[in-house]
Amino acid sequence: MLFQRPINIALSALALSFSFASSAQAADYPSRPITLVVPFAAGGPTDVVARSLGAELGKILKQPIVVENRTGAGGTVAANYVANAAPDGYTYFIHHNGMATATALYPALKYDPLKSFEYVGEVIDVPMTLLARKDFPANNMAEFITYAKANADKINLANAGPGAVSQLCGSLLQQALGVKFTTIPYQGTGPAMSALLGGQVDVLCDQTTQTIPHIQAGNVKFYGVTTLNRISKLPDAPTLNEQGLKDFEVKVWHGIYAPKGTPAADIAIFNKALKAALKSPDFTAKMADLGAEIVSEDRQTPESLKKWVQSEINKWTPILKAEGINVN
Ligand code: MLT
């Protein structure tokens, strides 16, 4: 008993100094530019969201948000980088479905999606679209199906590698049609889209956040959207589901993460800024124009995002393993 008191006093003093330290850090946080790591190439759909969101976050947090593209291995190079970055509140990470599919696709993954990160919150849902180069022979989905079945060995399908949603969508498409195309992987669908526009590849499945301007300008052949229901931005565009690929669905979701150990006070400040950014008129208008939907407020929390990633890991791991979707 006698010995317990000094220990208690020492512990209380320690706790007090910790709480001073963390509130002191939160009080002037952020005091320098913040890095937002993007796992795919500049100019692509994830980059478009990161830069638009970064501009809003920068205004709210009164510090520049510096977007850093770290490409490779379907997003796992960037995820591994962030998992090992200093947990000082100055590195964040935006990633999509790849956060949940990587464990099944990369057996030797060096990070754990559920244990190596602090979770910040979900951002947006984005539909995908199926496109071909402008002079591709098929003019609509029915023609695409017929042509693809007869000429699969002649068709080049671009994607951003295993772990990318373009790869997931392309794999599900080949499975649904019972065909095998030749796959050409890029560091992101930004360069994959340039290759499609240049006629170097034939087909690409990609997010509306990149494809809508090209669809509207008539730069590509457009066969349909990958959501189960039509989307309000392209109300006349049929879904693949209603054009013979029954139950075909790929929807992209994006979340924000930080290295494990990032102070909770900093995450709370960043999350508050994220929620404000997701309401900002400039960001919401831009995302609506690109067919993306900002997630509801209850999904903009660390707890909700973590639950979602866990449920997506549970959903996709058996599917990807059973189908062997770990190769192009
Ligand atoms: C990108 O930003 O380049 C895409 O999200 C990559 C992908 O298809 O997942």
Side-chain angles (χ1 to χ4, degrees):
M1 197 66 182
L2 267 180
F3 292 109
Q4 255 173 13
R5 225 176 137 201
I7 292 172
N8 281 344
I9 291 167
L11 284 177
S12 310
L14 198 65
L16 205 61
S17 75
F18 269 137
S19 84
F20 271 148
S22 71
S23 56
Q25 184 165 12
D28 62 0
Y29 174 82
S31 58
R32 58 185 169 87
I34 289 176
T35 298
L36 180 58
V37 176
V38 170
F40 296 103
T46 313
D47 187 70
V48 164
V49 174
R51 285 177 199 272
S52 313
L53 185 62
E56 293 307 322
L57 286 168
K59 284 185 226 160
I60 297 161
L61 291 167
K62 300 191 171 42
Q63 285 292 339
I65 306 294
V66 181
V67 170
E68 198 172 297
N69 301 83
R70 288 192 170 257
T71 64
T76 60
V77 167
N80 195 43
Y81 168 79
V82 174
N84 291 292
D88 56 7
Y90 289 89
T91 300
Y92 289 86
F93 180 41
I94 182 164
H95 199 5
H96 58 32
N97 312 45
M99 195 70 171
T101 55
T103 34
L105 298 169
Y106 294 88
L109 208 62
K110 291 199 180 72
Y111 62 88
D112 182 331
L114 294 168
K115 293 195 185 133
S116 308
F117 302 91
E118 301 296 343
Y119 281 58
V120 180
E122 235 186 303
V123 179
I124 50 166
D125 287 331
V126 191
M128 297 192 84
T129 50
L130 178 61
L131 312 175
R133 64 179 155 79
K134 198 174 174 177
D135 53 356
F136 193 69
N139 290 312
N140 53 48
M141 189 62 189
E143 288 182 20
F144 178 81
I145 293 173
T146 308
Y147 185 85
K149 287 187 173 174
N151 299 282
D153 57 337
K154 295 198 197 91
I155 295 176
N156 288 330
L157 170 75
N159 71 24
V165 285
S166 47
Q167 192 259 354
L168 182 66
C169 183
S171 292
L172 295 174
L173 175 72
Q174 291 173 85
Q175 242 176 44
L177 298 177
V179 297
K180 189 91 188 108
F181 301 142
T182 301
T183 301
I184 317 277
Y186 291 83
Q187 297 294 303
T189 51
M193 176 60 84
S194 300
L196 191 78
L197 296 173
Q200 287 107 37
V201 293
D202 301 312
V203 178
L204 173 68
C205 198
D206 197 16
Q207 296 166 66
T208 58
T209 32
Q210 165 156 261
T211 64
I212 281 187
H214 295 298
I215 291 169
Q216 288 173 337
N219 297 336
V220 288
K221 290 248 165 89
F222 168 46
Y223 302 126
V225 293
T226 67
T227 40
L228 280 182
N229 298 308
R230 291 188 182 204
I231 61 170
S232 54
K233 182 66 193 171
L234 300 169
D236 299 330
T239 64
L240 301 191
N241 175 47
E242 69 186 88
Q243 298 184 95
L245 303 192
K246 199 163 164 18
D247 297 331
F248 191 97
E249 184 184 23
V250 186
K251 194 156 76 173
V252 186
W253 46 271
H254 290 77
I256 307 275
Y257 310 83
K260 187 80 191 168
T262 300
D266 296 356
I267 300 270
I269 289 170
F270 198 87
N271 176 268
K272 196 169 165 209
L274 175 67
K275 286 180 170 160
L278 296 182
K279 280 200 197 87
S280 86
D282 285 354
F283 184 73
T284 48
K286 176 148 196 200
M287 290 302 114
D289 212 35
L290 295 176
E293 204 177 307
I294 300 201
V295 301
S296 54
E297 260 197 61
D298 57 318
R299 288 172 60 191
Q300 297 167 12
T301 67
E303 300 75 25
S304 165
L305 177 58
K306 193 158 194 178
K307 241 192 225 165
W308 177 248
V309 171
Q310 175 73 76
S311 73
E312 285 284 281
I313 290 174
N314 295 347
K315 172 180 168 184
W316 285 104
T317 302
I319 299 173
L320 296 171
K321 287 200 166 153
E323 302 295 345
I325 304 184
N326 59 349
V327 281
N328 293 329

